[in-house]
Amino acid sequence: VTAGWLIDPSTQGNRRILLASVPSGELREDHFARDEVAVPSPEAGELLCRNLVLSIDPAARAWMSQRTYRAQLSMGEVMAGYTLSQVVAECHSGYAVGDLVFGQGGWQQFSLARAEDVHPVRRRFDLATHMSTLGITGLTAYFGLVRVGAPKPGATVVVSAAAGATGNVVGQLARVIGCRVVGLAGSDAKLGLLTRLGFDAVVNYRDPGLRSALRDACPDGVDLYFDNVGGPVLATVLSLMNIHGCVVCCGAIAGYDHPENATSPPGIPGILVTRRVRMEGFLVHDYEHEWDAAEEILAGHVSRGEIEPLHQVIDGLDNAPKALIGLLAGANVGKCLVAIAGEVSGRAVRRP
Ligand SMILES: NC(=O)c1ccc[n+]([C@@H]2O[C@H](COP(=O)([O-])OP(=O)(O)OC[C@H]3O[C@@H](n4cnc5c(N)ncnc54)[C@H](OP(=O)(O)O)[C@@H]3O)[C@@H](O)[C@H]2O)c1
């Protein structure tokens, strides 16, 4: 074994998943390709990471086909994605072999990172919890709800994709704040789960009578809508917003596979004007300098049993495309993760 390395790079390849073609509608397996290359060596200031857990994010679908807050992926490029990794070799990086780090290692077994581009992870829970409630989507929920929405106790908070990675943390956190929480999700099984997690009311957004079901669930109107989806659901919730209400624009998944849902809903700007509704977007990266402090707060909620981590772990890097396709269709419950190497969680829900 090469001195100072945790792996033997001469006997190990780096399996990768690449963008094979740009999707224009529903995502398919043939939009991805796979290859295997040599494990790279770190240069000065770099670390070589063995990626243990990969975060599957709806945004990856957008990164494949358009310029967003990051450049569009190019053909043949490794799929971008957040990873929890172990340092297996390093070169004057300040990190030690064996350390755990969070970064953007992508859909591959090994990745190089500059020391300033990763965050150290102090392990206190199973790895899946570090990538779900304490990971990128837990932080998104925290900053979107607490900083952008800032609801007061007693406020009615509605959250879409409520059984997903971001939504479940938004709902559980809003309950801790003392809000009345209404969750939207796409199946009875997910609605049952949300009720068990303590949501005050739940509504299936696929219900053709969505507006009246939501009005019944929110007898005092909606003070804060945490919008993970955009599209027709946003249009419906907008019509129920209270005066001086707030819409936290987190994402627009309804339009990622279906561009016809990516248009502005009716009611903008009319409802915003007449009801003085604030609509504000944000990116979790806006708060990167505060991630450690937020992670402490979320860890406290988890330790005290106030927030239950919710994640689904799928085994094997090769299953990452299937995991993203499934996520866009609502197959996931909680944070969707792919285990690339090693033990991830004793408590995770595993897909049969
Ligand atoms: N602003 C930021 O910094 C930031 C950071 C991370 C994520 N995001 C955004 O946050 C949102 C949630 O991401 P996530 O990672 O937590 O994913 P997620 O909620 O775990 O998974 C997506 C869920 O969305 C639901 N969904 C899919 N299509 C839908 C549609 N047309 N209408 C309503 N619901 C639909 C599905 O559940 P159902 O079974 O209920 O349909 C699916 O499980 C995404 O829009 C993402 O882009 C933003």
Side-chain angles (χ1 to χ4, degrees):
V1 175
T2 310
W5 288 53
L6 265 189
I7 57 154
D8 180 353
S10 65
T11 61
Q12 194 134 24
N14 181 23
R15 192 157 175 79
R16 316 185 302 174
I17 297 187
L18 320 168
L19 176 68
S21 62
V22 177
S24 60
E26 281 194 16
L27 190 61
R28 300 184 310 266
E29 280 276 352
D30 60 275
H31 293 121
F32 302 90
R34 294 164 175 81
D35 75 356
E36 190 165 325
V37 295
V39 176
S41 291
E43 307 272 332
E46 286 183 337
L47 26 137
L48 173 64
C49 299
R50 170 168 43 198
N51 299 324
L52 305 177
V53 193
L54 171 67
S55 166
I56 300 295
D57 295 281
R61 168 66 185 81
W63 302 334
M64 294 170 83
S65 56
Q66 56 189 277
R67 188 177 190 289
T68 53
Y69 49 92
R70 62 184 297 156
Q72 181 182 345
L73 289 166
S74 36
M75 218 84 87
E77 192 175 349
V78 176
M79 283 292 298
Y82 299 101
T83 44
L84 194 157
S85 316
Q86 183 182 41
V87 178
V88 290
E90 65 82 39
C91 183
H92 307 298
S93 68
Y95 282 89
V97 166
D99 283 352
L100 288 178
V101 295
F102 174 80
Q104 298 195 42
W107 293 25
Q108 54 186 338
Q109 289 175 304
F110 296 93
S111 54
L112 287 175
R114 299 221 41 93
E116 60 272 22
D117 293 335
V118 297
H119 292 259
V121 173
R122 183 169 70 81
R123 184 169 182 175
R124 44 189 150 189
F125 302 109
D126 57 82
L127 297 185
T129 297
H130 279 282
M131 284 293 272
S132 56
T133 308
L134 272 58
I136 198 81
T137 41
L139 293 169
T140 300
Y142 178 84
F143 289 109
L145 183 72
V146 172
R147 289 300 177 77
V148 184
K152 297 203 168 45
T156 296
V157 172
V158 174
V159 54
S160 48
T166 307
N168 89 82
V169 181
V170 169
Q172 295 191 73
L173 202 51
R175 289 275 302 147
V176 173
I177 293 169
C179 301
R180 181 163 194 285
V181 183
V182 179
L184 294 169
S187 73
D188 289 346
K190 289 186 180 183
L191 298 185
L193 171 75
L194 296 176
T195 303
R196 185 180 68 68
L197 286 177
F199 282 58
D200 297 283
V202 290
V203 175
N204 190 329
Y205 70 88
R206 299 183 201 271
D207 182 346
L210 173 62
R211 189 170 187 283
S212 71
L214 198 52
R215 203 180 42 216
D216 291 347
C218 305
D220 299 325
V222 179
D223 298 305
L224 190 158
Y225 173 44
F226 194 105
D227 184 20
N228 282 315
V229 305
V233 177
L234 170 60
T236 304
V237 185
L238 262 181
S239 72
L240 298 171
M241 292 302 298
N242 286 334
I243 289 176
H244 294 305
C246 170
V247 178
V248 178
C249 299
C250 177
I253 193 171
Y256 296 172
D257 258 358
H258 300 279
E260 70 277 12
N261 285 335
T263 52
S264 286
I268 294 178
I271 291 172
L272 306 189
V273 176
T274 54
R275 299 193 205 160
R276 286 82 93 200
V277 168
R278 173 168 63 97
M279 212 170 168
E280 187 173 336
F282 77 103
L283 281 181
V284 65
H285 289 282
D286 299 341
Y287 299 91
E288 212 162 324
H289 56 292
E290 295 182 64
W291 283 7
D292 288 350
E295 196 190 311
E296 279 302 317
I297 292 169
L298 290 167
H301 290 312
V302 171
S303 299
R304 293 190 293 277
E306 294 160 353
I307 294 185
E308 183 178 323
L310 204 61
H311 40 253
Q312 180 157 36
V313 183
I314 296 166
D315 278 323
L317 177 66
D318 281 346
N319 288 321
K322 201 187 302 168
L324 180 57
I325 292 166
L327 178 94
L328 294 165
N332 64 307
V333 177
K335 177 77 206 177
C336 180
L337 299 168
V338 166
I340 301 180
E343 164 267 347
V344 173
S345 166
R347 298 166 50 205
V349 185
R350 275 173 194 274
R351 198 177 280 190

